Amino acid sequence: MRRRIVIFLFLALLIGFSAPSPAAQHEPAARADGIPFKQTEEITAGTYIRVGATLLFVLAVAVVAILVLKKVMLERQLIKLPAARIRLLEARRISSRTSLFLVAVDDTEYLVTQAGNGNSVIRHASSPGPQGEGGAA
């Protein structure tokens, strides 16, 4: 697959950036009395081919760049980081200056409040058992 891409890019370079044809080299220079930006010659099929080949070359470079970036990103994701020990279970806004957070560190839960003057731990408890939250019997 890579060999085909390299060959394709090489051919696109040869076609897209080739030297002008010998006939174009013997054409007389543009006259100075005319408008300098006015096109006086016709667009030939070779011009269209070079433009098309250059477009294909740029697209091929973009595709290769996307594939390389994809591979690099997948390799970075394969490196497993250690499991997170701290999890934010819930966050509630109590007032405009006070927030309440339920944070789990390993198997211990902390109820933390954040106010304008600082943070404080309200409650420290172990994680609930398999019976889950709240149902009064």
Side-chain angles (χ1 to χ4, degrees):
M1 175 73 176
R2 287 184 182 180
R3 179 179 277 176
R4 289 181 186 172
I5 291 172
V6 170
I7 291 171
F8 175 76
L9 292 176
F10 179 72
L11 290 175
L13 278 173
L14 285 178
I15 294 171
F17 302 110
S18 62
S21 65
Q25 291 176 354
H26 297 294
E27 292 178 5
R31 295 187 316 190
D33 60 350
I35 301 172
F37 57 85
K38 183 178 179 184
Q39 182 178 353
T40 57
E41 69 236 13
E42 293 183 25
I43 298 176
T44 62
T47 303
Y48 288 121
I49 291 173
R50 283 197 302 269
V51 168
T54 305
L55 178 65
L56 288 175
F57 173 73
V58 169
L59 289 175
V61 168
V63 167
V64 168
I66 288 171
L67 292 175
V68 167
L69 286 174
K70 210 174 189 182
K71 183 179 178 183
V72 168
M73 296 305 287
L74 285 175
E75 286 176 358
R76 283 187 181 178
Q77 288 179 355
L78 291 178
I79 299 172
K80 300 290 183 189
L81 298 175
R85 294 180 51 213
I86 300 174
R87 294 177 290 140
L88 178 63
L89 301 177
E90 196 169 341
R92 295 274 188 227
R93 190 85 171 172
I94 305 294
S95 67
S96 63
R97 301 178 110 196
T98 307
S99 297
L100 194 62
F101 301 99
L102 183 59
V103 180
V105 179
D106 294 328
D107 289 331
T108 307
E109 292 181 356
Y110 297 92
L111 188 61
V112 179
T113 182
Q114 177 187 18
N117 58 356
N119 301 329
S120 60
V121 177
I122 295 176
R123 188 180 116 214
H124 168 256
S126 296
S127 295
Q131 52 189 293
E133 293 182 36

